[in-house]
Amino acid sequence: MTEGDNKPSSDDFDARLRAARNAYEARSGRSSGTGDGTQPKSGMQGLGFALRVGTELVAATGIGVAIGYGLDRWLGTGPWLLIFFLFLGGAAGVTNVYRLASGMDQGVGWRRPGDNTPDKDDGRGKS
C-alpha cells in the first residue's frame, strides 16, 4: 500500500483472510468444509443433510402430483396425467438426491478439491 492510496491490495486481503481462517481452525480444532464436499462431517450437519434429502424427494413428488392433478382437472383426462406426473416427479426427486449425494449440486464452476483439469468450455470462447 502506498502513502496516498487508502485501498489495501487484494493480495494483502487474501493473506489476512488465510491467516484468520488458519487461526480459527487452530482454535476450534476443526477444518472448514466437509472434506471432499459430498458428505457432512458430524451430528447436526448430518441431520441437515438427511432433512435436505427428504425434502428433495417429497417436494419433487408433490410438485409432480400437483401438476398432474391440475392438468387432469383442466383437461378432464381422469387420473392418467396424475399418475404420469407422480412418476415423473419421483424420478426428478431421485435425480436431485443423486446430485446432492455426489456433490453435483454445488454452484457453477465448482470442482472437487484436487481436480485441476480444465473445463472443455469455460465460457471465455477459448478451447
Side-chain angles (χ1 to χ4, degrees):
M1 210 162 68
T2 62
E3 289 180 359
D5 186 30
N6 290 334
K7 292 183 180 180
S9 70
S10 64
D11 293 334
D12 182 43
F13 176 75
D14 289 339
R16 289 185 292 136
L17 183 60
R18 270 192 302 277
R21 282 185 181 157
N22 290 338
Y24 173 75
E25 290 172 3
R27 266 195 323 262
S28 65
R30 59 184 152 142
S31 64
S32 61
T34 60
D36 66 350
T38 59
Q39 299 295 325
K41 283 174 50 173
S42 66
M44 294 306 282
Q45 290 178 345
L47 179 63
F49 188 79
L51 287 174
R52 184 167 176 199
V53 165
T55 301
E56 293 280 352
L57 283 172
V58 169
T61 305
I63 289 171
V65 166
I67 290 171
Y69 179 76
L71 287 174
D72 274 338
R73 297 270 303 190
W74 182 45
L75 299 173
T77 56
W80 300 112
L81 289 176
L82 176 83
I83 293 169
F84 174 74
F85 278 98
L86 169 72
F87 286 114
L88 189 65
V94 169
T95 302
N96 287 342
V97 169
Y98 171 75
R99 291 180 65 204
L100 175 67
S102 65
M104 293 179 1
D105 67 321
Q106 305 296 325
V108 174
W110 180 85
R111 293 188 182 134
R112 292 184 188 275
D115 183 15
N116 295 327
T117 58
D119 292 339
K120 291 179 183 174
D121 180 19
D122 62 0
R124 297 182 197 166
K126 298 177 185 175
S127 295

